[in-house]
Amino acid sequence: MPAVAVRRVLSRRRLGWIAVLTACVALTVHFWPSVDLLGHHDDVVSAVAVGQVDGRPVAVTGGGGGENGDGTVRVWDLTTRQPIGEPMTGHPEGVRAVAVGEVNGRPVAVTGGYDGMVRVWDLATRKLIGEPMVANRTGSVSAVAVEQVNGRPVAVTGGDWGDATHKVPVRVWDLVTRRPIGEPMTGHTNFVVAVAVGEVSGRPVAVTGDVDGTVRVWDLVTRRPTGEPMTSHTRVWGVAVGRVDGRPVAVTGGEDENIRVWDLTTYKLIGEPVPTGHTYGFSAVAVEQVNGRPVAVTGGGGGPDVDGTVRVWDLVTRQPIGEPMEYTNSVFAVAIGRVNGRPVVVTGDGDGAVWMRDLSAYTR
């Protein structure tokens, strides 16, 4: 679960070998590629997203830690493995969510914080664009995603700790005007801590996860739910959207440590829930095509014990790929991007560290 405090542990790093069974049923042994440490925040890294600035791949990370947390947004050049400029400041408390997109041809980051505000940043100048948007007057913005709707860039946000007026808001924002579009989307009964966006039957949709155990799909044109809620019977802490065998799917994870894959056209679970091996659930999940195969990457959350692993999954077979990657603390943020044509995973952890690893070896 996204944490406000994390027990720190002594730094230790091990790289393990993995075996990958290829589509031809030939066994090939790989070693985890060398891990790159991009840098540190002053507290927990609670959010990460990847994008491009001036044609170069970048990662954008948010420093969390609660009301007295880091509160900075940082940009990292994934080619040079170096920070770009100074940290971006403006959140008075920790940052809980980060997404990247484009507004008027400019690359932007959209961030949500414990102060209930949504901020938009120009990634080329690393400056705040306009005033913050008030998303949740009595709680935090715990999830954000960016999509194009009718040619306009929008952000979809989820929150928690709302009062009777602003309870559990799921909102859509016009990123050009920085104003809400329509009324909040209602239906969830508890904290909405996960949001992802995608396309189903040519329509832009948002998929939201609630700690009440439901996953909902929303048409972003009409801002109305599609289909019945998908029930996972456990708190949902992470959601990602992708495609498996040509079908749009949502991949969810939460408190019970299982990974679930949902068909977004039928709103049904594909296969049985798969135990991940994470020791305290997981809230970080990303989905991407790697060497022509749909994969999910999950990060172990925090709790009484530190998990400290990142795991890779084949979404066709719903089986793990290789051995877990090991880190020195719980991993609260995961994103997948490309550097020089190679897929990479960027992670943020409870030690405040931002790491990058090469994923390209895992499906061959």
Side-chain angles (χ1 to χ4, degrees), residues 188 206-210 212-218 226-234 236 239 241 248-252 260-270:
H188 283 292
V207 182
T208 52
D210 192 329
D212 69 2
T214 61
V215 179
R216 294 174 182 261
V217 185
W218 310 85
T226 66
E228 294 298 315
M230 300 177 288
T231 303
S232 67
H233 305 293
T234 184
V236 179
V239 172
V241 172
V249 301
V251 180
T252 64
R260 289 173 168 83
V261 183
W262 306 86
D263 187 317
L264 292 180
T265 59
T266 64
Y267 312 104
K268 300 295 185 182
L269 190 64
I270 300 174

Side-chain angles (χ1 to χ4, degrees), residues 149-317:
V149 177
N150 293 331
R152 301 280 288 186
V154 305
V156 184
T157 60
D160 58 26
W161 296 110
D163 62 16
T165 303
H166 302 89
K167 187 177 181 180
V168 197
V170 177
R171 298 173 185 263
V172 183
W173 305 85
D174 187 313
L175 291 179
V176 176
T177 64
R178 295 181 302 284
R179 298 182 63 83
I181 301 174
E183 295 297 315
M185 300 187 293
T186 59
H188 283 292
T189 63
N190 213 310
F191 304 160
V192 178
V193 296
V195 174
V197 291
E199 189 175 279
V200 177
S201 300
R203 305 278 290 186
V205 301
V207 182
T208 52
D210 192 329
V211 298
D212 69 2
T214 61
V215 179
R216 294 174 182 261
V217 185
W218 310 85
D219 185 311
L220 289 178
V221 176
T222 64
R223 296 179 303 283
R224 297 181 63 84
T226 66
E228 294 298 315
M230 300 177 288
T231 303
S232 67
H233 305 293
T234 184
R235 295 184 178 188
V236 179
W237 292 340
V239 172
V241 172
R243 299 188 77 83
V244 175
D245 294 331
R247 293 183 294 175
V249 301
V251 180
T252 64
E255 189 175 47
D256 71 349
E257 301 158 10
N258 290 333
I259 191 170
R260 289 173 168 83
V261 183
W262 306 86
D263 187 317
L264 292 180
T265 59
T266 64
Y267 312 104
K268 300 295 185 182
L269 190 64
I270 300 174
E272 296 297 318
V274 178
T276 61
H278 290 298
T279 56
Y280 192 74
F282 67 93
S283 57
V285 58
V287 172
E288 187 56 273
Q289 294 282 325
V290 178
N291 295 330
R293 300 284 288 182
V295 303
V297 178
T298 59
D305 299 306
V306 170
D307 183 308
T309 63
V310 169
R311 298 165 189 258
V312 185
W313 304 87
D314 186 314
L315 290 180
V316 174
T317 64

